[in-house]
Structures are given as structure tokens and as C-alpha cells.
Amino acid sequence: MKRNAFNPYLPSWEYIPDGEPHVFGDRLYVYGSHDMYNGYVFCMGDYLCYSAPVSDLSDWRCEGVIYEKTRDPMNRDGTMNLFAPDVTQGSDGRFYLYYVLDKLPVVSVAVCDEPAGTYEFLGYVHYRDGMRLGERAGDEPQFDPGLLTEGDLTYLYTGFAGKQDRNRHGAMVSVLGRDMLTLEQGPQFIMPNDAHAGGTEFEGHAFYEAPSMRTFGDRYYFVYSSELMHELCYAVSDSPLGPFRYGGVIISNADIGIAGYKPAALPVAYGANNHGSLVCAAGQYYIFYHRHTNGCWYSRQGCAEKVSLNADGSIPQVELTSCGLNGGPLAAKGEYPAYIACNLFTDTPSVYIGEQPSYAADQRFPRIMQDGRDGDEEEGYIGNMKDGATAGFKYFDFRGVQHFAITVRGYTDGFFDIRNSYRGPVLASIPVESSNGWKRYDANLAFPDGMHPLYLSYRGAGTGTLKSFCFG
């Protein structure tokens, strides 16, 4: 790689959640919705696309705006937002963008000759008689389209089902013809929501939203967000139409389910909804997902982790890291920004970033922040570091590190404890004082060699802001 790759993999001022990764040619493209820093609802921006060469997933390039919300004929005034999209390459070689506007039950489609060019509105998914899918009597509202094209057929996976909503039934699939708009089959349900999952293998991890389909070998992997919201699960089938067998959890954006360094049920990041999918790039498998920043639900950022695909088709759950696409641990040398923290917590555990979706920052917890407004290219940092707040970073390759420094600002009167394991012994404490500007604090500290995490915990009065840390 040309440089280190961390999570989030895009610049810290970009908020592109719901990532659907696809390899087209020699590049990996990620299509997602577009949140805003300090946004007051989900998905306020137009669709942006980023891509990277499959040979170097540290080298991301912004492809710019590929679709503006006002290009949809039913949204010329721009009052509806573009929810999570997906893209597929049709049998004609062109690229098709599928999405749902925030107040409508139908699926819109746009088309482009290139993966990341300017997409033009094409039409709405409809039955053969012209009626739009989602508007016929008995149809359930369409949501979160995910695509798979095989030959002249395209499989459209959709669905949303709130907790214990008996009026909705779960995930569904519809089959489209060569024109990419007309239904040839379906819709049919392939996975239950929690209200209908009792007694099935999906009970406890039933469908909630974010359907996505991938194929590896002769297996079909259906990736989805479960009723718990913070986790992405998968189910497997021998056919794109099912039946699907529950596989397990791939990742939790609260790191629930990961044991060893902590109790499995303990959250060590502030989770909420999740959306993403699997991809294979240069022979390595990854899961793309998103995290929540700014202490709220509406400023989400894309992250990714390496996963393993076992010979029996199973995918073990992976933990949150700071080095997701790096291919291995980060070198414990030089300076790193604090916003790459994969663990963020206090002495009071919380699974969710807030009890309900809200744009108001939860003042109880530390949070990833930035200066300026949305779109300002200001590097992120960790704010609201009160007594007991901890930021964790994984993993680093420590070799002969003898010096450490942190850069902090804020009205603080305390110290940062430094550990190389969760709740492990304190290796050193660095006192910090009140400062309206960024101030660096240094300490001589001999870290044990090897691959370890780094944990920084603030203890004391006031509230600090952590910008970066540096290995010497």
C-alpha cells in the first residue's frame, strides 16, 4: 500500500454510510447514502461515490456527485432525501442505480455508461401492467434496494420491518427483466422480521433492514441488518430466491458478540443502525459497515474489516478495528489522528448512541467530532472526554517504542492513563491542563513489543478533546 489505511477509510469529514462495495474492472467502488455533519435527519446529501484500486485500498478517490436528489421527477423540489442505494451492471454493460426516496414506497432507477459517471433518471420498478411496485393493493413498501444481476435477470432485494410490526413481514425479492424495470416474478418474502420469526432459525436475529446480496462460489450470501440494528448478519442459500439458512453475525458496530479481550455482551462503541455488505478484492474478503459519530444517529461514516470465508461457507464474526483495510496492524511510529478510535466508551456501558434517533448529541459520552460545518475539510477528533471516558485503537505493531505524546485541548484538570489492553495495568499517566488551543504532552514510555491495542482513558475534572497521539 502507498500509505496506512484506517477506519473510517474515507476522509474524516466525509459521511457516507450504508456502503455497498462492488468491484468493476480493477477498482472497488462504494455506493452509499450521504449524511451530513450536524445533520438533523438521515441522508441529507446527494449521492457521492468513492473508489480505490483493488491493489491499494488506502488510495481512495472521490468520484464526485453521481446523482442529485432533484433528478427524480417526483422530487424536483428536493424535499425528499435519497435513502440507501445500490448499483448493478446490467446485461447491456451499463450501470443501474436503484434507490428509494424517503416518503415513497417505490423503487427509482437511474442509469449511466460508467460506474461513477453522472447517472440519469430511467424510471420506476413496475409490474407488467405499468403499476409501480409498492403501490399495488397488498404490496409492502419498498426500502433499501439491493441488487444481483445474473444473465438477463436482476434480483431486487428490498424491505424494512420495524420491531414487532405485524403489518410487515420482512425481506422480499423481486425478479426484473432485461429492461431493469419490469417485474418478471415476485415480490416474494425470503426472511421474516421479528414479529414473524418465532420458532424459526432467525429468531433473535430477524430481518430489520439493509438487504444486500453477494455470491461467492456457488453460494448466495444475503447480508442484512437484524432486529438489534447494530449488527450485520448473513444467511446462505443455493439459489438467489432461497430458501435461506441463517449463518450468523458478521459484525456489530458496538462490538457485541466479540469476547476474549472483554465480556462478549459488553458494548465498547456506541452503536445504532447498521448497513453494508461483503466484497472480495484481490482475493481478500471484507465487510463494509458504518459507525455513528457526533454523539447522534445522523452523522455516520463508512468503515470496513477483513473477514474470513471458511471452506464450509461460514463467516466468523470480526471485531472492530482501527486498521480495517490496512492488511495488518499499523506501525507504532509517527502521529495518528484520534478519530480512528474503534472503541469509545465510559464506565457506564451503552449499546446505543441514544435511546431514539436524534440529531442532538448525547452529552453523556465521548464522541467523534470536527470543527466547522459539513463539507469543511477539517480533520476529526474526539470530544467530550470526561472523567472515565476511554478511546481504544487497534492494532499497532510495537517495536522499540520509548516515547509517547498526545495532543489535547479543553478545560481539563486531570490525566490520561495509557494501557495496551482493555482494563489492563496502566503503563503511564500523562497530566493535562486547561488550554484553549491544542497542546502537546510528552512522556517517556517503553511499550512492550508485539501487536497490541492502545487505550487512552481520561481521569479528572473538566472536559477534554483528544486530537492525536504520537509514537516516538
Side-chain angles (χ1 to χ4, degrees):
M1 288 192 177
K2 296 179 181 177
R3 59 181 74 88
N4 283 324
F6 1 96
N7 279 323
Y9 54 88
L10 300 182
S12 66
W13 53 84
E14 285 286 29
Y15 299 85
I16 311 294
D18 305 324
E20 288 282 352
H22 293 281
V23 173
F24 297 125
D26 61 357
R27 297 189 71 81
L28 173 60
Y29 295 83
V30 177
Y31 305 92
S33 54
H34 188 181
D35 283 355
M36 291 188 176
Y37 183 67
N38 280 332
Y40 59 87
V41 291
F42 295 117
C43 312
M44 293 179 64
D46 297 323
Y47 288 142
L48 281 177
C49 180
Y50 272 80
S51 75
V54 294
S55 59
D56 185 0
L57 297 184
S58 72
D59 188 18
W60 290 91
R61 179 178 76 198
C62 181
E63 305 287 355
V65 173
I66 61 171
Y67 193 72
E68 297 172 348
K69 65 179 73 176
T70 54
R71 291 182 190 160
D72 193 298
M74 291 196 289
N75 196 38
R76 295 302 188 197
D77 61 1
T79 57
M80 290 184 282
N81 291 345
L82 298 166
F83 278 171
D86 197 11
V87 167
T88 188
Q89 187 172 19
S91 59
D92 60 359
R94 296 199 296 171
F95 298 87
Y96 293 83
L97 170 73
Y98 289 71
Y99 63 93
V100 171
L101 290 164
D102 66 17
K103 296 178 183 178
L104 300 181
V106 301
V107 179
S108 302
V109 185
V111 65
C112 185
D113 292 333
E114 302 172 356
T118 300
Y119 283 76
E120 299 297 335
F121 178 79
L122 179 66
Y124 302 101
V125 174
H126 56 261
Y127 293 95
R128 290 180 180 176
D129 63 5
M131 180 170 285
R132 291 181 293 215
L133 174 64
E135 293 183 334
R136 175 172 285 179
D139 281 357
E140 294 194 8
Q142 301 297 293
F143 194 76
D144 280 358
L147 285 305
L148 173 68
T149 297
E150 292 187 330
D152 286 339
L153 297 180
T154 292
Y155 298 89
L156 169 65
Y157 301 87
T158 55
F160 170 84
K163 293 184 72 64
Q164 289 301 309
D165 185 349
R166 302 202 66 85
N167 295 317
R168 299 194 187 190
H169 292 79
M172 63 196 98
V173 61
S174 303
V175 184
L176 306 180
R178 184 178 172 82
D179 69 355
M180 310 298 284
L181 294 172
T182 306
L183 265 71
E184 299 290 336
Q185 185 178 338
Q188 68 183 59
F189 289 98
I190 58 172
M191 186 179 296
N193 73 330
D194 65 335
H196 300 91
T200 75
E201 60 187 309
F202 296 101
E203 188 172 3
H205 301 276
F207 176 81
Y208 176 65
E209 62 180 353
S212 182
M213 179 60 71
R214 294 293 186 269
T215 58
F216 302 118
D218 57 358
R219 295 186 179 101
Y220 293 83
Y221 287 81
F222 182 77
V223 181
Y224 66 98
S225 177
S226 82
E227 63 193 89
L228 301 178
M229 292 192 296
H230 59 79
E231 64 184 19
L232 291 180
C233 299
Y234 74 100
V236 184
S237 177
D238 298 324
S239 163
L241 300 176
F244 287 89
R245 307 175 300 277
Y246 177 70
V249 178
I250 304 175
I251 196 164
S252 158
N253 61 20
D255 229 16
I256 292 174
I258 295 294
Y261 79 97
K262 66 169 182 64
L266 183 70
V268 288
Y270 299 111
N273 62 7
N274 208 345
H275 190 145
S277 196
L278 296 162
V279 71
C280 183
Q284 174 62 55
Y285 296 93
Y286 301 93
I287 181 68
F288 281 65
Y289 64 102
H290 63 235
R291 71 176 188 177
H292 293 257
T293 72
N294 201 29
C296 73
W297 288 60
Y298 301 140
S299 299
R300 300 165 296 171
Q301 293 182 318
C303 297
E305 307 289 353
K306 292 172 60 177
V307 299
S308 299
L309 190 63
N310 294 332
D312 64 358
S314 62
I315 302 173
Q317 183 176 344
V318 295
E319 66 178 308
L320 304 177
T321 75
S322 303
C323 57
L325 295 175
N326 198 54
L330 302 166
K333 59 177 63 175
E335 187 172 24
Y336 287 91
Y339 72 79
I340 69 172
C342 57
N343 295 159
L344 206 56
F345 56 90
T346 69
D347 296 334
T348 302
S350 177
V351 176
Y352 300 106
I353 202 163
E355 295 303 319
Q356 299 292 334
S358 172
Y359 67 89
D362 194 322
Q363 298 297 328
R364 298 174 296 168
F365 306 131
R367 58 183 184 268
I368 307 296
M369 302 173 63
Q370 69 172 72
D371 288 340
R373 301 172 298 177
D374 182 75
D376 291 347
E377 295 186 3
E378 295 280 352
E379 188 170 86
Y381 52 80
I382 303 175
N384 212 37
M385 293 288 285
K386 299 180 180 180
D387 181 61
T390 296
F393 310 85
K394 297 177 181 176
Y395 284 94
F396 290 97
D397 183 12
F398 289 91
R399 297 177 184 270
V401 176
Q402 300 291 318
H403 186 267
F404 187 72
I406 56 176
T407 299
V408 177
R409 75 180 180 195
Y411 295 106
T412 57
D413 182 12
F415 52 89
F416 277 86
D417 285 337
I418 304 166
R419 296 178 172 87
N420 69 344
S421 64
Y422 175 79
R423 301 302 193 199
V426 175
L427 302 179
S429 295
I430 301 180
V432 293
E433 60 187 19
S434 292
S435 174
N436 286 321
W438 295 115
K439 186 172 181 179
R440 175 171 165 146
Y441 301 87
D442 293 80
N444 293 322
L445 173 57
F447 283 91
D449 287 351
M451 188 178 78
H452 302 289
L454 171 71
Y455 289 96
L456 305 177
S457 301
Y458 178 69
R459 297 290 179 181
T463 301
T465 299
L466 179 64
K467 180 182 181 182
S468 64
F469 53 94
C470 184
F471 300 103

Short mmCIF file of all heavy atoms in Angstrom, two decimals, residues 316-364:
data_model
loop_
_atom_site.label_atom_id
_atom_site.label_comp_id
_atom_site.label_asym_id
_atom_site.label_seq_id
_atom_site.Cartn_x
_atom_site.Cartn_y
_atom_site.Cartn_z
N PRO A 316 -16.90 -16.20 10.35
CA PRO A 316 -16.80 -15.86 11.77
C PRO A 316 -16.98 -14.36 11.99
O PRO A 316 -16.55 -13.54 11.17
CB PRO A 316 -15.38 -16.31 12.15
CG PRO A 316 -14.96 -17.25 11.07
CD PRO A 316 -15.65 -16.78 9.82
N GLN A 317 -17.60 -13.99 13.11
CA GLN A 317 -17.75 -12.57 13.43
C GLN A 317 -16.38 -11.93 13.62
O GLN A 317 -15.47 -12.53 14.20
CB GLN A 317 -18.59 -12.38 14.69
CG GLN A 317 -18.82 -10.90 15.02
CD GLN A 317 -19.74 -10.69 16.22
OE1 GLN A 317 -20.44 -11.61 16.65
NE2 GLN A 317 -19.73 -9.49 16.76
N VAL A 318 -16.25 -10.70 13.14
CA VAL A 318 -14.99 -9.97 13.28
C VAL A 318 -15.18 -8.78 14.21
O VAL A 318 -16.28 -8.25 14.35
CB VAL A 318 -14.46 -9.50 11.91
CG1 VAL A 318 -14.08 -10.68 11.04
CG2 VAL A 318 -15.48 -8.61 11.19
N GLU A 319 -14.07 -8.37 14.84
CA GLU A 319 -14.13 -7.26 15.77
C GLU A 319 -13.87 -5.94 15.07
O GLU A 319 -13.31 -5.88 13.97
CB GLU A 319 -13.13 -7.45 16.91
CG GLU A 319 -11.68 -7.41 16.49
CD GLU A 319 -10.73 -7.56 17.67
OE1 GLU A 319 -10.87 -6.80 18.65
OE2 GLU A 319 -9.86 -8.44 17.62
N LEU A 320 -14.29 -4.87 15.72
CA LEU A 320 -14.00 -3.53 15.24
C LEU A 320 -12.51 -3.23 15.39
O LEU A 320 -11.92 -3.54 16.42
CB LEU A 320 -14.80 -2.50 16.04
CG LEU A 320 -16.31 -2.66 16.10
CD1 LEU A 320 -16.91 -1.58 17.01
CD2 LEU A 320 -16.93 -2.60 14.72
N THR A 321 -11.93 -2.63 14.37
CA THR A 321 -10.53 -2.22 14.46
C THR A 321 -10.35 -0.82 13.88
O THR A 321 -11.24 -0.29 13.20
CB THR A 321 -9.57 -3.18 13.71
OG1 THR A 321 -9.69 -2.96 12.30
CG2 THR A 321 -9.86 -4.63 14.04
N SER A 322 -9.18 -0.27 14.13
CA SER A 322 -8.79 0.99 13.51
C SER A 322 -8.05 0.77 12.20
O SER A 322 -7.87 1.72 11.44
CB SER A 322 -7.88 1.79 14.46
OG SER A 322 -8.50 2.02 15.69
N CYS A 323 -7.61 -0.46 11.95
CA CYS A 323 -6.73 -0.73 10.81
C CYS A 323 -7.42 -1.54 9.72
O CYS A 323 -6.74 -2.16 8.90
CB CYS A 323 -5.47 -1.45 11.29
SG CYS A 323 -5.75 -3.00 12.16
N GLY A 324 -8.76 -1.48 9.65
CA GLY A 324 -9.58 -2.33 8.80
C GLY A 324 -9.01 -2.78 7.47
O GLY A 324 -8.81 -3.96 7.23
N LEU A 325 -8.75 -1.86 6.55
CA LEU A 325 -8.30 -2.20 5.20
C LEU A 325 -6.78 -2.23 5.08
O LEU A 325 -6.26 -2.38 3.98
CB LEU A 325 -8.87 -1.19 4.19
CG LEU A 325 -10.39 -1.18 4.02
CD1 LEU A 325 -10.80 -0.05 3.07
CD2 LEU A 325 -10.90 -2.51 3.50
N ASN A 326 -6.09 -2.13 6.19
CA ASN A 326 -4.63 -1.97 6.13
C ASN A 326 -3.90 -3.26 5.78
O ASN A 326 -2.75 -3.23 5.37
CB ASN A 326 -4.11 -1.43 7.46
CG ASN A 326 -2.72 -0.84 7.36
OD1 ASN A 326 -2.48 0.04 6.53
ND2 ASN A 326 -1.80 -1.33 8.17
N GLY A 327 -4.57 -4.38 5.99
CA GLY A 327 -3.90 -5.65 5.72
C GLY A 327 -3.12 -6.18 6.90
O GLY A 327 -2.52 -7.25 6.82
N GLY A 328 -3.11 -5.45 7.99
CA GLY A 328 -2.38 -5.85 9.18
C GLY A 328 -2.32 -4.68 10.15
O GLY A 328 -2.91 -3.62 9.90
N PRO A 329 -1.62 -4.84 11.27
CA PRO A 329 -1.56 -3.77 12.26
C PRO A 329 -0.85 -2.54 11.71
O PRO A 329 -0.03 -2.62 10.79
CB PRO A 329 -0.78 -4.39 13.42
CG PRO A 329 0.02 -5.47 12.79
CD PRO A 329 -0.82 -6.02 11.68
N LEU A 330 -1.16 -1.40 12.30
CA LEU A 330 -0.49 -0.15 11.97
C LEU A 330 0.87 -0.10 12.66
O LEU A 330 1.03 -0.61 13.77
CB LEU A 330 -1.34 1.03 12.41
CG LEU A 330 -2.74 1.10 11.81
CD1 LEU A 330 -3.60 2.11 12.57
CD2 LEU A 330 -2.69 1.45 10.33
N ALA A 331 1.82 0.51 12.02
CA ALA A 331 3.15 0.65 12.62
C ALA A 331 3.09 1.65 13.77
O ALA A 331 2.54 2.75 13.62
CB ALA A 331 4.16 1.12 11.57
N ALA A 332 3.64 1.30 14.92
CA ALA A 332 3.65 2.19 16.07
C ALA A 332 4.79 3.19 15.92
O ALA A 332 5.80 3.14 16.65
CB ALA A 332 3.78 1.39 17.36
N LYS A 333 4.63 4.06 14.95
CA LYS A 333 5.61 5.12 14.72
C LYS A 333 4.91 6.30 14.08
O LYS A 333 3.97 6.13 13.29
CB LYS A 333 6.76 4.64 13.83
CG LYS A 333 6.34 4.14 12.46
CD LYS A 333 7.54 3.75 11.59
CE LYS A 333 8.31 2.61 12.19
NZ LYS A 333 9.42 2.15 11.29
N GLY A 334 5.31 7.48 14.46
CA GLY A 334 4.70 8.68 13.91
C GLY A 334 3.38 9.03 14.58
O GLY A 334 3.00 8.45 15.60
N GLU A 335 2.68 9.99 13.98
CA GLU A 335 1.46 10.55 14.58
C GLU A 335 0.22 9.97 13.91
O GLU A 335 0.18 9.77 12.69
CB GLU A 335 1.46 12.07 14.44
CG GLU A 335 0.32 12.76 15.18
CD GLU A 335 0.44 14.27 15.18
OE1 GLU A 335 1.11 14.81 14.26
OE2 GLU A 335 -0.10 14.91 16.10
N TYR A 336 -0.81 9.72 14.72
CA TYR A 336 -2.10 9.22 14.24
C TYR A 336 -3.22 10.11 14.75
O TYR A 336 -3.19 10.58 15.90
CB TYR A 336 -2.34 7.79 14.74
CG TYR A 336 -1.49 6.76 14.05
CD1 TYR A 336 -0.25 6.41 14.56
CD2 TYR A 336 -1.92 6.14 12.88
CE1 TYR A 336 0.55 5.46 13.94
CE2 TYR A 336 -1.13 5.20 12.24
CZ TYR A 336 0.10 4.86 12.77
OH TYR A 336 0.88 3.92 12.14
N PRO A 337 -4.25 10.34 13.93
CA PRO A 337 -5.40 11.14 14.39
C PRO A 337 -6.27 10.33 15.33
O PRO A 337 -6.45 9.12 15.17
CB PRO A 337 -6.14 11.46 13.09
CG PRO A 337 -5.80 10.33 12.17
CD PRO A 337 -4.38 9.93 12.51
N ALA A 338 -6.86 10.99 16.31
CA ALA A 338 -7.67 10.30 17.31
C ALA A 338 -8.98 9.78 16.74
O ALA A 338 -9.58 8.86 17.31
CB ALA A 338 -7.94 11.24 18.49
N TYR A 339 -9.45 10.37 15.62
CA TYR A 339 -10.75 9.95 15.09
C TYR A 339 -10.77 8.51 14.60
O TYR A 339 -11.84 7.97 14.30
CB TYR A 339 -11.22 10.90 13.98
CG TYR A 339 -10.48 10.78 12.67
CD1 TYR A 339 -10.76 9.76 11.77
CD2 TYR A 339 -9.51 11.71 12.30
CE1 TYR A 339 -10.09 9.65 10.56
CE2 TYR A 339 -8.83 11.62 11.10
CZ TYR A 339 -9.13 10.59 10.23
OH TYR A 339 -8.46 10.48 9.02
N ILE A 340 -9.62 7.84 14.53
CA ILE A 340 -9.60 6.45 14.09
C ILE A 340 -9.91 5.48 15.24
O ILE A 340 -9.81 4.26 15.08
CB ILE A 340 -8.26 6.07 13.43
CG1 ILE A 340 -7.12 6.04 14.45
CG2 ILE A 340 -7.94 7.01 12.27
CD1 ILE A 340 -5.80 5.48 13.90
N ALA A 341 -10.33 6.01 16.39
CA ALA A 341 -10.70 5.15 17.52
C ALA A 341 -11.79 4.18 17.10
O ALA A 341 -12.82 4.58 16.54
CB ALA A 341 -11.16 5.99 18.70
N CYS A 342 -11.59 2.90 17.38
CA CYS A 342 -12.63 1.90 17.10
C CYS A 342 -13.42 1.56 18.35
O CYS A 342 -14.54 1.03 18.25
CB CYS A 342 -12.01 0.64 16.51
SG CYS A 342 -10.73 -0.13 17.54
N ASN A 343 -12.86 1.85 19.52
CA ASN A 343 -13.58 1.69 20.78
C ASN A 343 -13.73 3.05 21.42
O ASN A 343 -12.78 3.84 21.45
CB ASN A 343 -12.82 0.76 21.74
CG ASN A 343 -12.71 -0.66 21.26
OD1 ASN A 343 -11.84 -1.41 21.70
ND2 ASN A 343 -13.58 -1.08 20.35
N LEU A 344 -14.90 3.31 21.95
CA LEU A 344 -15.19 4.59 22.61
C LEU A 344 -16.25 4.30 23.65
O LEU A 344 -17.36 3.88 23.31
CB LEU A 344 -15.66 5.61 21.58
CG LEU A 344 -15.45 7.10 21.86
CD1 LEU A 344 -13.98 7.41 22.12
CD2 LEU A 344 -16.00 7.94 20.73
N PHE A 345 -15.92 4.52 24.93
CA PHE A 345 -16.86 4.15 25.98
C PHE A 345 -16.52 4.86 27.28
O PHE A 345 -15.47 5.51 27.40
CB PHE A 345 -16.85 2.63 26.19
CG PHE A 345 -15.51 2.03 26.48
CD1 PHE A 345 -15.04 1.91 27.78
CD2 PHE A 345 -14.68 1.59 25.45
CE1 PHE A 345 -13.81 1.36 28.06
CE2 PHE A 345 -13.44 1.03 25.71
CZ PHE A 345 -12.98 0.93 27.03
N THR A 346 -17.41 4.72 28.26
CA THR A 346 -17.18 5.24 29.59
C THR A 346 -17.35 4.09 30.58
O THR A 346 -17.53 2.94 30.19
CB THR A 346 -18.17 6.36 29.95
OG1 THR A 346 -19.48 5.80 30.08
CG2 THR A 346 -18.19 7.45 28.89
N ASP A 347 -17.34 4.42 31.86
CA ASP A 347 -17.54 3.39 32.88
C ASP A 347 -18.98 2.90 32.91
O ASP A 347 -19.28 1.89 33.56
CB ASP A 347 -17.15 3.93 34.26
CG ASP A 347 -15.67 4.27 34.35
OD1 ASP A 347 -14.88 3.67 33.60
OD2 ASP A 347 -15.31 5.14 35.17
N THR A 348 -19.88 3.62 32.23
CA THR A 348 -21.29 3.21 32.15
C THR A 348 -21.56 2.68 30.75
O THR A 348 -21.61 3.45 29.79
CB THR A 348 -22.23 4.39 32.43
OG1 THR A 348 -21.94 4.92 33.73
CG2 THR A 348 -23.69 3.96 32.38
N PRO A 349 -21.72 1.37 30.56
CA PRO A 349 -21.91 0.81 29.21
C PRO A 349 -23.21 1.27 28.57
O PRO A 349 -24.23 1.48 29.23
CB PRO A 349 -21.94 -0.71 29.46
CG PRO A 349 -21.33 -0.91 30.81
CD PRO A 349 -21.67 0.32 31.60
N SER A 350 -23.18 1.44 27.25
CA SER A 350 -24.38 1.76 26.48
C SER A 350 -24.24 1.15 25.09
O SER A 350 -23.25 1.40 24.40
CB SER A 350 -24.58 3.27 26.35
OG SER A 350 -25.72 3.56 25.55
N VAL A 351 -25.23 0.36 24.68
CA VAL A 351 -25.20 -0.25 23.35
C VAL A 351 -25.41 0.80 22.28
O VAL A 351 -24.75 0.80 21.24
CB VAL A 351 -26.28 -1.34 23.23
CG1 VAL A 351 -26.32 -1.90 21.80
CG2 VAL A 351 -26.04 -2.45 24.24
N TYR A 352 -26.34 1.73 22.54
CA TYR A 352 -26.75 2.68 21.50
C TYR A 352 -26.26 4.08 21.79
O TYR A 352 -26.04 4.48 22.93
CB TYR A 352 -28.28 2.66 21.36
CG TYR A 352 -28.81 1.30 20.98
CD1 TYR A 352 -29.47 0.51 21.90
CD2 TYR A 352 -28.62 0.80 19.69
CE1 TYR A 352 -29.95 -0.75 21.56
CE2 TYR A 352 -29.09 -0.45 19.34
CZ TYR A 352 -29.75 -1.22 20.27
OH TYR A 352 -30.21 -2.47 19.93
N ILE A 353 -26.10 4.82 20.72
CA ILE A 353 -25.60 6.19 20.84
C ILE A 353 -26.65 7.12 21.45
O ILE A 353 -26.36 8.19 21.93
CB ILE A 353 -25.14 6.70 19.46
CG1 ILE A 353 -24.13 7.84 19.62
CG2 ILE A 353 -26.31 7.10 18.58
CD1 ILE A 353 -23.34 8.13 18.38
N GLY A 354 -27.88 6.70 21.45
CA GLY A 354 -29.00 7.39 22.07
C GLY A 354 -30.19 6.46 22.06
O GLY A 354 -30.25 5.53 21.25
N GLU A 355 -31.14 6.70 22.92
CA GLU A 355 -32.27 5.79 23.00
C GLU A 355 -33.14 5.84 21.74
O GLU A 355 -33.75 4.86 21.35
CB GLU A 355 -33.12 6.12 24.23
CG GLU A 355 -32.39 5.88 25.54
CD GLU A 355 -31.88 4.46 25.67
OE1 GLU A 355 -32.60 3.53 25.30
OE2 GLU A 355 -30.74 4.28 26.15
N GLN A 356 -33.22 6.99 21.10
CA GLN A 356 -34.03 7.15 19.90
C GLN A 356 -33.21 7.92 18.86
O GLN A 356 -32.29 8.66 19.21
CB GLN A 356 -35.32 7.93 20.19
CG GLN A 356 -36.24 7.25 21.19
CD GLN A 356 -36.85 5.98 20.64
OE1 GLN A 356 -37.00 5.82 19.44
NE2 GLN A 356 -37.20 5.05 21.52
N PRO A 357 -33.54 7.76 17.56
CA PRO A 357 -32.84 8.57 16.54
C PRO A 357 -32.98 10.06 16.86
O PRO A 357 -34.09 10.55 17.09
CB PRO A 357 -33.56 8.19 15.24
CG PRO A 357 -34.10 6.82 15.48
CD PRO A 357 -34.49 6.81 16.94
N SER A 358 -31.87 10.76 16.88
CA SER A 358 -31.88 12.17 17.23
C SER A 358 -30.66 12.84 16.64
O SER A 358 -29.62 12.22 16.48
CB SER A 358 -31.89 12.35 18.75
OG SER A 358 -31.70 13.70 19.12
N TYR A 359 -30.79 14.13 16.32
CA TYR A 359 -29.63 14.89 15.86
C TYR A 359 -28.92 15.56 17.02
O TYR A 359 -27.81 16.08 16.87
CB TYR A 359 -30.03 15.94 14.82
CG TYR A 359 -30.90 17.05 15.34
CD1 TYR A 359 -30.34 18.21 15.87
CD2 TYR A 359 -32.28 16.97 15.30
CE1 TYR A 359 -31.13 19.23 16.35
CE2 TYR A 359 -33.09 17.99 15.77
CZ TYR A 359 -32.51 19.11 16.30
OH TYR A 359 -33.30 20.11 16.78
N ALA A 360 -29.54 15.57 18.20
CA ALA A 360 -28.92 16.19 19.37
C ALA A 360 -27.86 15.25 19.92
O ALA A 360 -28.11 14.06 20.15
CB ALA A 360 -29.97 16.49 20.44
N ALA A 361 -26.67 15.76 20.14
CA ALA A 361 -25.57 14.94 20.64
C ALA A 361 -25.85 14.46 22.05
O ALA A 361 -26.33 15.21 22.90
CB ALA A 361 -24.27 15.73 20.59
N ASP A 362 -25.57 13.20 22.28
CA ASP A 362 -25.71 12.62 23.61
C ASP A 362 -24.54 13.12 24.47
O ASP A 362 -23.39 12.77 24.22
CB ASP A 362 -25.70 11.10 23.51
CG ASP A 362 -26.17 10.42 24.79
OD1 ASP A 362 -25.83 10.94 25.87
OD2 ASP A 362 -26.86 9.39 24.71
N GLN A 363 -24.85 13.94 25.46
CA GLN A 363 -23.82 14.60 26.25
C GLN A 363 -23.16 13.68 27.28
O GLN A 363 -22.20 14.07 27.94
CB GLN A 363 -24.40 15.82 26.96
CG GLN A 363 -24.94 16.88 26.02
CD GLN A 363 -23.85 17.48 25.14
OE1 GLN A 363 -22.69 17.58 25.54
NE2 GLN A 363 -24.21 17.88 23.94
N ARG A 364 -23.67 12.44 27.42
CA ARG A 364 -23.09 11.54 28.41
C ARG A 364 -21.77 10.94 27.97
O ARG A 364 -20.97 10.52 28.80
CB ARG A 364 -24.08 10.40 28.70
CG ARG A 364 -25.40 10.83 29.30
CD ARG A 364 -26.34 9.63 29.39
NE ARG A 364 -26.66 9.10 28.07
CZ ARG A 364 -27.27 7.92 27.87
NH1 ARG A 364 -27.57 7.16 28.91
NH2 ARG A 364 -27.54 7.51 26.65
#
